[in-house]
Amino acid sequence: DVKVTQSSRYLVKRTGEKVFLECVQDMDHENMFWYRQDPGLGLRLIYFSYDVKMKEKGDIPEGYSVSREKKERFSLILESASTNQTSMYLCASSLWPGGYEQYFGPGTRLTVT
Amino acid sequence: TQLLEQSPQFLSIQEGENLTVYCNSSSVFSSLQWYRQEPGEGPVLLVTVVTGGEVKKLKRLTFQFGDARKDSSLHITAAQPGDTGLYLCAGERLGNQGGKLIFGQGTELSVKP
């Protein structure tokens, strides 16, 4: 059974803190993605990675960075958290180019106060 | 600019009713996927449509890809409370690299017993 896990389901941080969100997949997928989900806006791509140490900006990369040191792990970093980064963060992986289906983790609901 | 427009954004119906959710764009897509997301979980793939005019059925759910591959619909017959959730369409653009998908805003469906 395919699995994408995220390090925390709920997280509360203060403005200005550095925040790390971790994602691990056990499917040996090349591609991994970080999205944020806000009501009425759907899923918006923050960053994606198509190989170890390779990354590309998505549609809303400002205020975020990522790290992929190992194939199975993709981390999202908020360098200095702000209240407008309060959101649901979803990690996904896919078998592309072997398929476009994305497998999602359960999400991390981050609140920045 | 939202490349994939879903309508309606909210739908509240009684058990046994039929409903249709639409996903529209001015762009052509190589394929289109529908996901369902339950509260507290990540989206899960329901179906992928690839060929213009294609119709796929999944029990009481019928998915259609427009002839021009710019739009899609999801029809649910005799909705049940278990169908409650957020439905997301996601498209793969022509010439896409990296397995990136464009997501619609989502349709929040509530089926009351």
Side-chain angles (χ1 to χ4, degrees):
Chain A
D1 204 16
V2 299
K3 205 153 177 104
V4 178
T5 55
Q6 295 183 227
S7 51
S8 307
R9 296 296 293 262
Y10 299 94
L11 211 51
V12 180
K13 295 291 180 181
R14 292 186 182 273
T15 301
E17 280 193 82
K18 190 168 187 175
V19 182
F20 293 87
L21 302 183
E22 303 282 333
C23 175
V24 178
Q25 52 99 359
D26 66 357
M27 297 163 282
D28 201 35
H29 285 171
E30 301 288 339
N31 287 20
M32 297 187 74
F33 308 81
W34 273 107
Y35 295 91
R36 64 177 282 176
Q37 183 175 30
D38 301 288
L41 296 177
L43 273 66
R44 293 181 292 167
L45 182 65
I46 304 171
Y47 266 97
F48 81 104
S49 169
Y50 50 91
D51 199 353
V52 175
K53 296 191 188 291
M54 306 302 286
K55 61 187 179 187
E56 275 194 30
K57 293 180 180 179
D59 299 317
I60 51 164
E62 296 78 20
Y64 304 95
S65 62
V66 290
S67 172
R68 193 161 180 206
E69 297 296 320
K70 293 186 177 182
K71 190 176 185 180
E72 68 270 18
R73 189 179 298 268
F74 192 32
S75 302
L76 180 69
I77 303 152
L78 286 67
E79 296 291 342
S80 177
S82 63
T83 54
N84 63 12
Q85 291 179 309
T86 290
S87 186
M88 170 69 85
Y89 289 88
L90 289 163
C91 173
S93 70
S94 83
L95 195 52
W96 190 90
Y100 278 88
E101 176 180 359
Q102 294 193 7
Y103 296 86
F104 286 85
T108 296
R109 183 159 295 282
L110 172 67
T111 302
V112 183
T113 61
Chain B
T1 303
Q2 192 77 30
L3 286 177
L4 270 174
E5 296 283 344
Q6 275 187 249
S7 61
Q9 285 197 39
F10 301 95
L11 199 49
S12 181
I13 61 172
Q14 293 295 129
E15 183 177 0
E17 290 184 24
N18 301 333
L19 67 113
T20 302
V21 177
Y22 299 93
C23 181
N24 295 303
S25 177
S26 57
S27 301
V28 177
F29 291 94
S30 297
S31 68
L32 203 134
Q33 302 179 2
W34 285 92
Y35 290 79
R36 179 165 167 261
Q37 184 178 17
E38 297 191 30
E41 300 297 329
V44 175
L45 181 71
L46 294 172
V47 77
T48 301
V49 285
V50 178
T51 307
E54 182 176 5
V55 176
K56 280 192 174 177
K57 293 197 174 190
L58 192 66
K59 296 183 182 177
R60 294 174 294 98
L61 278 61
T62 302
F63 304 86
Q64 184 160 7
F65 201 14
D67 291 342
R69 292 184 293 154
K70 293 182 179 181
D71 53 83
S72 180
S73 63
L74 157 61
H75 182 80
I76 302 179
T77 304
Q80 299 178 0
D83 295 326
T84 293
L86 179 68
Y87 290 82
L88 293 155
C89 64
E92 167 213 340
R93 279 193 277 186
L94 291 177
N96 184 24
Q97 296 295 319
K100 289 186 288 184
L101 298 174
I102 304 293
F103 282 84
Q105 316 99 304
T107 295
E108 191 82 53
L109 172 64
S110 173
V111 182
K112 301 187 189 315

